[in-house]
Amino acid sequence: YQRRVHGDNRRGIDHGVFVPLLLMYPEADIPVIPISLTNDLDPHQHILLGKALKPLRDEGVLILGSGSSFHNLPAIFKASVADKERWSVGFNNYLTSAVTASSDEERISKLENWKQGPFALESHPREEHLIPLMVIAAAGSGPGRVCWTSESPGDQYQSYIFEN
């Protein structure tokens, strides 16, 4: 995998990076290299990126993807509780089946084709909050698991971990 990249010292650390790390490492005592998503948000390119980063895990590097399993701000504020629940739970069930698939091929295929999942576009009208999952799934070894679930009226959110 080769991709032309460049640094941008004018851009600060995104809230998707500093909020989780602030909670995990409040002393800010670890080095951090944030990586931006590609402009086209192509799932396949992010899966390739995850595969390229995978060897770093053997060197003790934490690969953290921050996003959301449900991210539709207009729906959060305007859709009915029943619709939001149907959308978020339906799509989270699809994501969980993808993440926990025992076959690497099935896991990657389901994630790469996430738009085929039930209520995919209702859950993610724009996928920038989902794409980090593609990177960490490809950087992991074997199936992941749900490590956190949160619910608010009508919305369900899940986080996943790949420990192997």
Side-chain angles (χ1 to χ4, degrees):
Y1 178 76
Q2 292 184 349
R3 185 111 187 161
R4 201 167 112 150
V5 298
H6 67 279
D8 185 351
N9 293 331
R10 297 168 295 154
R11 182 174 169 93
I13 294 179
D14 184 79
H15 70 277
V17 175
F18 79 75
V19 171
L21 291 177
L22 176 65
L23 296 172
M24 295 168 66
Y25 301 96
E27 301 299 317
D29 56 355
I30 63 165
V32 175
I33 302 172
I35 299 174
S36 297
L37 303 175
T38 62
N39 289 334
D40 61 8
L41 300 173
D42 178 9
H44 183 71
Q45 291 301 311
H46 293 90
I47 287 166
L48 292 175
L49 173 60
K51 288 179 179 181
L53 294 173
K54 186 175 184 169
L56 295 174
R57 293 184 68 205
D58 294 335
E59 297 178 31
V61 173
L62 170 66
I63 301 171
L64 176 69
S66 178
S68 182
S69 62
F70 180 79
H71 197 275
N72 181 340
L73 292 180
I76 288 171
F77 297 110
K78 295 180 182 175
S80 72
V81 170
D83 281 345
K84 290 187 297 184
E85 183 173 354
R86 188 165 37 98
W87 300 339
S88 64
V89 171
F91 190 63
N92 277 332
N93 288 342
Y94 176 84
L95 283 181
T96 298
S97 74
V99 165
T100 60
S102 58
S103 156
D104 289 347
E105 184 177 284
E106 179 185 0
R107 183 177 329 100
I108 296 303
S109 176
K110 280 185 166 185
L111 290 172
E112 192 167 4
N113 297 294
W114 69 273
K115 288 182 182 177
Q116 295 176 6
F119 310 111
L121 294 178
E122 291 86 356
S123 297
H124 284 277
R126 185 167 152 79
E127 58 267 38
E128 74 270 14
H129 290 89
L130 179 64
I131 294 293
L133 179 59
M134 315 299 173
V135 177
I136 64 165
S141 295
R145 66 175 175 83
V146 175
C147 63
W148 178 79
T149 300
S150 175
E151 295 183 11
S152 60
D155 308 332
Q156 183 187 77
Y157 305 90
Q158 292 181 314
S159 293
Y160 304 97
I161 188 169
F162 296 84
E163 298 171 296
N164 294 331

